[in-house]
Amino acid sequence: MAEPIKAEIFGSLPGGDVVEAFDLKGPAGLSARVITLGGIVTHLRAPDRRGDAADVVLGFNNLAGYLAPHPYFGAIAGRVAGRISQGRFQLDGREYSLACNDPPNHLHGGDRGFDKRLWNSEPLDRADGAASLRLSRLSADGEEGYPGNLRVSVIYTVTAANELVIETEATTDRPTPVNLTHHSYFNLAGEGSCSVESHQLQVFAGSYAPADAASGLTGRREPVTDNDLRTPKRLGDVIPNLRGRHGDLYFIDRAAPAGLVDVARLVDPASGRAMTVRSTETCVQFYTGVGLDGTLVGKSGRKYGPFAGLCLECEGFPDGVNRPELGNIVLRPGEVSRHTTVYAFSTL
Ligand code: FUC
Protein backbone atom coordinates (compact mmCIF):
# COMPACT_ATOMS: atom_id res chain seq x y z
CA MET A 1 0.00 0.00 0.00
CA ALA A 2 1.38 3.43 -0.93
CA GLU A 3 1.92 6.10 1.74
CA PRO A 4 -1.06 8.46 1.85
CA ILE A 5 -0.14 11.92 0.61
CA LYS A 6 0.20 14.55 3.31
CA ALA A 7 -0.68 18.22 3.36
CA GLU A 8 2.02 20.81 3.84
CA ILE A 9 1.36 24.47 4.50
CA PHE A 10 2.05 26.52 1.37
CA GLY A 11 1.08 29.87 2.88
CA SER A 12 -1.76 31.91 4.32
CA LEU A 13 -4.26 34.15 2.55
CA PRO A 14 -4.61 37.76 3.73
CA GLY A 15 -7.76 36.72 5.69
CA GLY A 16 -5.83 33.98 7.51
CA ASP A 17 -7.04 30.90 5.59
CA VAL A 18 -4.28 28.37 5.05
CA VAL A 19 -3.33 27.23 1.54
CA GLU A 20 -2.16 23.61 1.55
CA ALA A 21 0.24 21.89 -0.85
CA PHE A 22 0.26 18.19 -1.75
CA ASP A 23 2.96 16.24 -3.55
CA LEU A 24 1.68 13.49 -5.85
CA LYS A 25 4.54 11.17 -6.74
CA GLY A 26 4.41 8.40 -9.28
CA PRO A 27 6.71 5.34 -9.25
CA ALA A 28 7.95 6.02 -12.80
CA GLY A 29 9.30 9.51 -12.19
CA LEU A 30 6.38 11.90 -12.76
CA SER A 31 5.50 14.07 -9.77
CA ALA A 32 3.07 16.94 -9.31
CA ARG A 33 2.64 19.55 -6.61
CA VAL A 34 -0.93 20.83 -6.23
CA ILE A 35 -2.13 23.66 -3.98
CA THR A 36 -5.63 24.26 -2.65
CA LEU A 37 -5.70 27.81 -4.02
CA GLY A 38 -7.21 27.58 -7.48
CA GLY A 39 -6.44 23.86 -7.75
CA ILE A 40 -3.12 25.08 -9.11
CA VAL A 41 -0.43 22.65 -10.26
CA THR A 42 2.64 24.58 -9.14
CA HIS A 43 5.23 21.99 -10.16
CA LEU A 44 5.22 19.03 -12.53
CA ARG A 45 8.46 17.11 -12.82
CA ALA A 46 8.94 14.71 -15.72
CA PRO A 47 12.00 12.67 -16.76
CA ASP A 48 13.86 13.24 -20.04
CA ARG A 49 15.35 10.52 -22.25
CA ARG A 50 18.28 10.11 -19.84
CA GLY A 51 15.99 9.90 -16.82
CA ASP A 52 16.75 13.44 -15.61
CA ALA A 53 13.66 15.21 -14.28
CA ALA A 54 12.79 18.83 -15.05
CA ASP A 55 9.87 20.96 -13.98
CA VAL A 56 7.77 21.27 -17.14
CA VAL A 57 5.18 23.85 -16.03
CA LEU A 58 5.46 27.60 -15.43
CA GLY A 59 4.71 28.92 -11.96
CA PHE A 60 5.97 30.37 -8.72
CA ASN A 61 7.68 29.00 -5.63
CA ASN A 62 5.54 30.86 -3.14
CA LEU A 63 2.00 31.98 -2.51
CA ALA A 64 2.80 35.67 -3.08
CA GLY A 65 3.42 34.88 -6.75
CA TYR A 66 -0.03 33.34 -7.10
CA LEU A 67 -1.79 36.15 -5.20
CA ALA A 68 -0.38 38.79 -7.56
CA PRO A 69 -1.84 39.08 -11.08
CA HIS A 70 -0.78 36.22 -13.36
CA PRO A 71 -2.34 34.57 -16.41
CA TYR A 72 -3.96 31.51 -14.74
CA PHE A 73 -0.70 29.55 -14.27
CA GLY A 74 -1.57 25.91 -13.57
CA ALA A 75 -5.08 26.70 -12.36
CA ILE A 76 -8.55 25.24 -12.74
CA ALA A 77 -10.51 27.83 -14.72
CA GLY A 78 -14.29 28.09 -14.25
CA ARG A 79 -17.27 28.38 -13.81
CA VAL A 80 -16.91 28.92 -17.55
CA ALA A 81 -13.37 28.68 -18.89
CA GLY A 82 -12.67 30.61 -22.07
CA ARG A 83 -14.68 33.55 -23.35
CA ILE A 84 -18.40 34.27 -23.18
CA SER A 85 -18.99 36.94 -25.83
CA GLN A 86 -19.85 40.34 -24.34
CA GLY A 87 -20.27 38.62 -20.95
CA ARG A 88 -23.95 38.03 -21.65
CA PHE A 89 -26.26 35.07 -22.02
CA GLN A 90 -29.91 34.11 -21.83
CA LEU A 91 -31.02 30.97 -20.09
CA ASP A 92 -34.61 29.78 -19.85
CA GLY A 93 -35.87 33.29 -20.63
CA ARG A 94 -33.66 35.16 -18.15
CA GLU A 95 -30.85 37.49 -19.09
CA TYR A 96 -27.54 37.23 -17.25
CA SER A 97 -24.63 39.62 -17.38
CA LEU A 98 -21.15 38.75 -16.16
CA ALA A 99 -17.92 40.62 -15.57
CA CYS A 100 -16.19 41.59 -18.82
CA ASN A 101 -12.76 41.04 -17.30
CA ASP A 102 -11.14 40.59 -20.73
CA PRO A 103 -12.91 43.47 -22.49
CA PRO A 104 -15.30 43.19 -24.21
CA ASN A 105 -15.67 39.55 -23.14
CA HIS A 106 -16.01 37.47 -20.00
CA LEU A 107 -12.95 35.25 -19.46
CA HIS A 108 -12.25 32.23 -17.24
CA GLY A 109 -15.15 32.76 -14.84
CA GLY A 110 -14.79 36.49 -14.20
CA ASP A 111 -13.06 38.70 -11.65
CA ARG A 112 -12.71 35.91 -9.08
CA GLY A 113 -13.07 32.67 -10.92
CA PHE A 114 -12.33 29.17 -9.63
CA ASP A 115 -8.60 29.85 -10.12
CA LYS A 116 -8.67 32.37 -7.24
CA ARG A 117 -10.77 30.33 -4.78
CA LEU A 118 -9.72 28.11 -1.94
CA TRP A 119 -10.73 24.49 -2.49
CA ASN A 120 -11.33 21.73 0.10
CA SER A 121 -8.86 18.88 -0.09
CA GLU A 122 -9.14 15.14 0.46
CA PRO A 123 -6.33 12.69 -0.36
CA LEU A 124 -7.82 9.59 -1.96
CA ASP A 125 -6.91 6.02 -1.20
CA ARG A 126 -6.90 4.31 -4.56
CA ALA A 127 -6.83 0.54 -5.03
CA ASP A 128 -3.90 0.81 -7.46
CA GLY A 129 -1.89 2.90 -4.98
CA ALA A 130 -1.64 5.92 -7.30
CA ALA A 131 -1.23 9.27 -5.56
CA SER A 132 -4.55 11.04 -5.85
CA LEU A 133 -6.07 14.23 -4.45
CA ARG A 134 -9.69 15.36 -4.57
CA LEU A 135 -10.39 19.07 -4.47
CA SER A 136 -13.95 20.33 -4.09
CA ARG A 137 -15.93 23.47 -3.54
CA LEU A 138 -19.40 24.91 -3.62
CA SER A 139 -19.74 27.77 -6.07
CA ALA A 140 -22.74 29.54 -4.54
CA ASP A 141 -25.77 30.76 -6.49
CA GLY A 142 -24.87 34.21 -7.85
CA GLU A 143 -21.08 33.80 -7.55
CA GLU A 144 -19.61 35.94 -10.34
CA GLY A 145 -23.18 36.38 -11.64
CA TYR A 146 -23.80 32.72 -12.50
CA PRO A 147 -27.08 31.05 -11.50
CA GLY A 148 -27.33 28.00 -9.26
CA ASN A 149 -25.39 26.40 -6.45
CA LEU A 150 -22.72 24.40 -8.27
CA ARG A 151 -20.94 21.57 -6.48
CA VAL A 152 -17.69 20.92 -8.23
CA SER A 153 -14.80 18.54 -7.70
CA VAL A 154 -11.47 17.96 -9.42
CA ILE A 155 -9.40 14.82 -8.86
CA TYR A 156 -5.70 14.95 -9.70
CA THR A 157 -3.94 11.58 -9.98
CA VAL A 158 -0.35 10.73 -10.94
CA THR A 159 -0.22 7.22 -12.36
CA ALA A 160 2.49 4.56 -12.72
CA ALA A 161 2.37 5.27 -16.46
CA ASN A 162 3.60 8.88 -15.94
CA GLU A 163 0.18 10.38 -16.54
CA LEU A 164 -1.36 13.38 -14.81
CA VAL A 165 -5.07 12.54 -14.84
CA ILE A 166 -7.62 15.28 -14.15
CA GLU A 167 -11.21 14.23 -13.50
CA THR A 168 -13.89 16.89 -13.04
CA GLU A 169 -17.44 16.56 -11.81
CA ALA A 170 -20.20 19.13 -11.33
CA THR A 171 -23.85 19.20 -10.25
CA THR A 172 -26.23 22.13 -9.86
CA ASP A 173 -29.61 23.03 -8.34
CA ARG A 174 -30.47 25.46 -11.17
CA PRO A 175 -29.60 25.44 -14.88
CA THR A 176 -26.19 27.04 -15.41
CA PRO A 177 -23.38 27.02 -17.95
CA VAL A 178 -20.35 24.99 -16.79
CA ASN A 179 -17.03 24.62 -18.55
CA LEU A 180 -13.94 23.66 -16.55
CA THR A 181 -10.40 23.45 -17.79
CA HIS A 182 -6.86 22.99 -16.53
CA HIS A 183 -4.59 25.89 -17.43
CA SER A 184 -0.95 24.73 -17.08
CA TYR A 185 1.68 26.37 -19.26
CA PHE A 186 3.96 23.57 -20.47
CA ASN A 187 7.58 23.77 -21.48
CA LEU A 188 9.03 20.30 -21.99
CA ALA A 189 12.60 21.61 -21.93
CA GLY A 190 11.99 22.79 -18.37
CA GLU A 191 10.36 26.02 -17.21
CA GLY A 192 12.43 29.14 -17.71
CA SER A 193 14.89 27.40 -20.04
CA CYS A 194 13.85 28.48 -23.54
CA SER A 195 10.86 29.29 -25.70
CA VAL A 196 8.49 26.55 -26.87
CA GLU A 197 9.17 27.59 -30.48
CA SER A 198 11.60 24.65 -30.62
CA HIS A 199 8.81 22.20 -29.66
CA GLN A 200 6.74 20.23 -32.15
CA LEU A 201 2.98 20.23 -31.74
CA GLN A 202 0.29 18.06 -33.25
CA VAL A 203 -3.41 18.76 -32.64
CA PHE A 204 -5.94 16.18 -33.78
CA ALA A 205 -8.52 18.63 -35.11
CA GLY A 206 -9.79 19.36 -38.60
CA SER A 207 -11.87 22.37 -37.60
CA TYR A 208 -11.64 25.34 -35.29
CA ALA A 209 -13.61 28.29 -33.96
CA PRO A 210 -12.48 31.56 -35.58
CA ALA A 211 -12.07 34.45 -33.14
CA ASP A 212 -12.02 38.22 -33.61
CA ALA A 213 -9.11 40.54 -32.77
CA ALA A 214 -10.14 40.56 -29.07
CA SER A 215 -10.18 36.73 -29.08
CA GLY A 216 -14.00 36.74 -28.90
CA LEU A 217 -15.50 33.66 -30.54
CA THR A 218 -17.36 34.57 -33.72
CA GLY A 219 -19.77 31.65 -33.45
CA ARG A 220 -18.51 29.86 -36.55
CA ARG A 221 -16.86 26.50 -37.10
CA GLU A 222 -14.46 26.33 -40.02
CA PRO A 223 -11.90 23.92 -41.45
CA VAL A 224 -8.34 24.53 -40.25
CA THR A 225 -6.07 26.50 -42.61
CA ASP A 226 -2.72 28.01 -41.54
CA ASN A 227 -3.47 26.61 -38.08
CA ASP A 228 -3.66 23.00 -39.36
CA LEU A 229 -1.62 20.94 -36.89
CA ARG A 230 -2.88 17.50 -37.87
CA THR A 231 0.69 16.60 -38.73
CA PRO A 232 3.37 17.60 -36.18
CA LYS A 233 4.85 21.02 -36.82
CA ARG A 234 7.67 23.03 -35.28
CA LEU A 235 6.00 25.85 -33.38
CA GLY A 236 8.55 28.43 -34.49
CA ASP A 237 7.31 27.85 -38.04
CA VAL A 238 3.61 27.94 -37.14
CA ILE A 239 3.22 30.70 -34.56
CA PRO A 240 3.92 33.65 -36.94
CA ASN A 241 0.95 32.55 -39.08
CA LEU A 242 -1.57 32.36 -36.24
CA ARG A 243 -4.05 35.15 -35.46
CA GLY A 244 -2.14 37.50 -33.18
CA ARG A 245 0.35 34.62 -32.66
CA HIS A 246 -2.19 33.56 -30.00
CA GLY A 247 -3.40 30.05 -30.94
CA ASP A 248 -6.96 28.88 -31.58
CA LEU A 249 -9.84 26.95 -30.13
CA TYR A 250 -10.03 23.62 -31.98
CA PHE A 251 -12.87 21.11 -32.25
CA ILE A 252 -11.26 17.77 -31.43
CA ASP A 253 -11.78 15.08 -34.08
CA ARG A 254 -13.79 12.24 -32.58
CA ALA A 255 -15.51 9.24 -34.10
CA ALA A 256 -17.93 8.81 -31.18
CA PRO A 257 -19.57 11.58 -29.09
CA ALA A 258 -18.13 10.34 -25.78
CA GLY A 259 -14.94 8.77 -24.47
CA LEU A 260 -11.26 9.65 -24.20
CA VAL A 261 -9.60 10.54 -27.50
CA ASP A 262 -6.19 11.86 -28.47
CA VAL A 263 -6.24 15.65 -28.49
CA ALA A 264 -2.65 16.72 -29.00
CA ARG A 265 0.96 15.63 -28.83
CA LEU A 266 3.81 17.92 -27.84
CA VAL A 267 7.47 16.96 -28.32
CA ASP A 268 10.71 18.63 -27.26
CA PRO A 269 13.28 17.05 -29.61
CA ALA A 270 16.24 18.22 -27.50
CA SER A 271 15.29 16.59 -24.19
CA GLY A 272 13.25 13.81 -25.79
CA ARG A 273 10.27 14.60 -23.55
CA ALA A 274 6.87 14.04 -25.15
CA MET A 275 3.40 14.76 -23.83
CA THR A 276 0.23 13.25 -25.23
CA VAL A 277 -3.03 14.92 -24.25
CA ARG A 278 -6.24 12.88 -24.18
CA SER A 279 -9.67 14.10 -23.16
CA THR A 280 -13.39 13.45 -23.09
CA GLU A 281 -13.96 17.14 -23.90
CA THR A 282 -15.05 18.45 -27.31
CA CYS A 283 -12.61 21.35 -27.70
CA VAL A 284 -9.04 22.35 -26.92
CA GLN A 285 -7.77 25.91 -26.61
CA PHE A 286 -4.18 26.00 -27.80
CA TYR A 287 -2.62 29.15 -26.35
CA THR A 288 0.95 29.98 -27.37
CA GLY A 289 1.75 32.13 -24.33
CA VAL A 290 2.18 35.21 -26.55
CA GLY A 291 0.91 37.41 -23.71
CA LEU A 292 3.84 36.61 -21.44
CA ASP A 293 5.94 39.77 -21.60
CA GLY A 294 8.88 39.14 -19.32
CA THR A 295 7.43 40.90 -16.28
CA LEU A 296 6.76 37.69 -14.34
CA VAL A 297 9.72 35.88 -12.83
CA GLY A 298 9.25 32.16 -12.38
CA LYS A 299 10.40 29.41 -10.04
CA SER A 300 13.97 29.30 -11.29
CA GLY A 301 14.39 33.08 -11.07
CA ARG A 302 14.13 33.57 -14.82
CA LYS A 303 11.70 35.90 -16.61
CA TYR A 304 8.83 34.41 -18.56
CA GLY A 305 8.83 36.03 -22.01
CA PRO A 306 6.58 35.31 -25.01
CA PHE A 307 6.21 31.55 -25.68
CA ALA A 308 7.90 30.58 -22.38
CA GLY A 309 5.14 28.00 -22.08
CA LEU A 310 2.03 26.91 -23.96
CA CYS A 311 -1.43 25.82 -22.85
CA LEU A 312 -3.54 22.96 -24.15
CA GLU A 313 -6.83 23.62 -22.37
CA CYS A 314 -9.34 20.82 -22.89
CA GLU A 315 -12.87 22.10 -22.46
CA GLY A 316 -16.33 22.41 -23.97
CA PHE A 317 -17.20 25.20 -26.39
CA PRO A 318 -16.83 28.24 -24.06
CA ASP A 319 -19.59 30.31 -25.65
CA GLY A 320 -21.88 27.29 -25.83
CA VAL A 321 -24.51 28.99 -23.66
CA ASN A 322 -25.02 31.47 -26.54
CA ARG A 323 -24.21 29.03 -29.38
CA PRO A 324 -25.58 25.63 -28.33
CA GLU A 325 -25.30 24.41 -31.93
CA LEU A 326 -21.48 24.46 -31.47
CA GLY A 327 -21.59 22.59 -28.16
CA ASN A 328 -24.04 23.04 -25.33
CA ILE A 329 -22.47 23.64 -21.92
CA VAL A 330 -25.66 24.11 -19.88
CA LEU A 331 -25.92 21.79 -16.87
CA ARG A 332 -29.37 21.17 -15.38
CA PRO A 333 -30.49 19.89 -11.97
CA GLY A 334 -30.34 16.09 -11.81
CA GLU A 335 -27.54 15.90 -14.40
CA VAL A 336 -23.88 15.26 -13.61
CA SER A 337 -21.17 16.81 -15.76
CA ARG A 338 -18.12 14.52 -15.80
CA HIS A 339 -14.92 14.94 -17.78
CA THR A 340 -11.44 13.49 -17.85
CA THR A 341 -8.28 14.97 -19.30
CA VAL A 342 -4.95 13.13 -19.30
CA TYR A 343 -1.49 14.62 -19.80
CA ALA A 344 0.70 11.56 -20.48
CA PHE A 345 4.50 11.92 -20.42
CA SER A 346 6.97 9.72 -22.25
CA THR A 347 10.35 10.04 -23.95
CA LEU A 348 11.76 9.43 -27.41
C1 FUC B 1 -5.82 31.38 -22.51
C2 FUC B 1 -6.05 32.21 -23.71
C3 FUC B 1 -6.47 33.58 -23.41
C4 FUC B 1 -5.80 34.26 -22.26
C5 FUC B 1 -5.52 33.34 -21.11
C6 FUC B 1 -4.58 33.87 -20.12
O1 FUC B 1 -6.96 30.75 -22.04
O2 FUC B 1 -6.99 31.63 -24.57
O3 FUC B 1 -6.40 34.39 -24.54
O4 FUC B 1 -4.68 34.94 -22.66
O5 FUC B 1 -5.14 32.07 -21.49
Side-chain angles (χ1 to χ4, degrees):
M1 205 63 205
E3 278 275 296
I5 53 169
K6 287 194 202 75
E8 280 175 41
I9 295 177
F10 189 64
S12 297
L13 297 177
D17 286 337
V18 168
V19 177
E20 298 169 317
F22 293 85
D23 288 316
L24 279 61
K25 293 194 176 115
L30 187 71
S31 69
R33 169 160 264 229
V34 180
I35 61 170
T36 50
L37 178 72
I40 292 171
V41 172
T42 61
H43 297 72
L44 185 63
R45 294 179 65 79
D48 69 3
R49 62 161 71 89
R50 296 180 316 191
D52 294 337
D55 188 350
V56 296
V57 294
L58 308 193
F60 307 109
N61 278 326
N62 52 45
L63 185 58
Y66 291 104
L67 293 179
H70 70 93
Y72 307 89
F73 283 163
I76 298 295
R79 187 177 295 200
V80 173
R83 289 176 179 80
I84 296 180
S85 292
Q86 315 293 323
R88 280 203 296 268
F89 65 91
Q90 279 187 4
L91 189 53
D92 297 342
R94 264 194 68 177
E95 174 89 27
Y96 294 88
S97 82
L98 308 169
C100 292
N101 54 317
D102 186 52
N105 303 306
H106 175 81
L107 175 64
H108 294 332
D111 291 329
R112 248 190 104 207
F114 290 6
D115 61 292
K116 295 178 186 67
R117 305 278 174 169
L118 198 57
W119 294 62
N120 304 308
S121 62
E122 180 198 349
L124 297 182
D125 208 357
R126 284 179 37 130
D128 63 1
S132 191
L133 176 70
R134 181 176 185 270
L135 300 174
S136 62
R137 67 179 298 266
L138 168 70
S139 170
D141 183 30
E143 182 182 287
E144 285 294 325
Y146 289 101
N149 290 297
L150 187 80
R151 290 194 177 278
V152 50
S153 70
V154 176
I155 299 174
Y156 282 110
T157 304
V158 171
T159 72
N162 276 355
E163 299 158 321
L164 176 66
V165 180
I166 305 171
E167 296 162 280
T168 63
E169 202 176 286
T171 56
T172 184
D173 61 1
R174 282 174 64 195
T176 182
V178 181
N179 187 36
L180 304 176
T181 197
H182 174 71
H183 208 292
S184 271
Y185 288 68
F186 296 97
N187 186 324
L188 299 184
E191 62 83 30
S193 66
C194 63
S195 125
V196 295
E197 286 159 292
S198 56
H199 288 30
Q200 287 171 6
L201 178 65
Q202 182 172 22
V203 178
F204 301 94
S207 63
Y208 79 112
D212 60 27
S215 289
L217 296 166
T218 59
R220 301 197 306 275
R221 176 174 181 160
E222 288 179 3
V224 288
T225 54
D226 282 354
N227 55 1
D228 186 352
L229 294 169
R230 284 174 292 182
T231 55
K233 289 189 182 143
R234 191 182 161 274
L235 283 174
D237 300 332
V238 175
I239 289 174
N241 304 321
L242 301 177
R243 171 191 54 84
R245 300 183 298 160
H246 177 282
D248 282 307
L249 181 79
Y250 292 84
F251 294 93
I252 301 159
D253 293 338
R254 46 168 63 247
L260 269 180
V261 293
D262 284 354
V263 171
R265 184 171 160 82
L266 183 67
V267 169
D268 171 38
S271 66
R273 287 191 192 89
M275 180 179 83
T276 300
V277 186
R278 291 189 282 274
S279 187
T280 61
E281 299 277 11
T282 52
C283 295
V284 62
Q285 173 71 53
F286 162 43
Y287 173 52
T288 59
V290 66
L292 299 166
D293 61 5
T295 54
L296 295 174
V297 176
K299 287 171 272 192
S300 52
R302 280 174 290 226
K303 291 178 180 171
Y304 292 144
F307 321 121
L310 63 83
C311 303
L312 290 162
E313 309 156 42
C314 299
E315 59 191 16
F317 183 70
D319 206 14
V321 62
N322 290 316
R323 306 274 185 181
E325 69 279 8
L326 290 180
N328 194 5
I329 56 165
V330 174
L331 181 69
R332 294 181 181 275
E335 298 173 346
V336 185
S337 165
R338 275 195 196 90
H339 280 288
T340 303
T341 294
V342 179
Y343 296 95
F345 293 85
S346 58
T347 55
L348 34 94

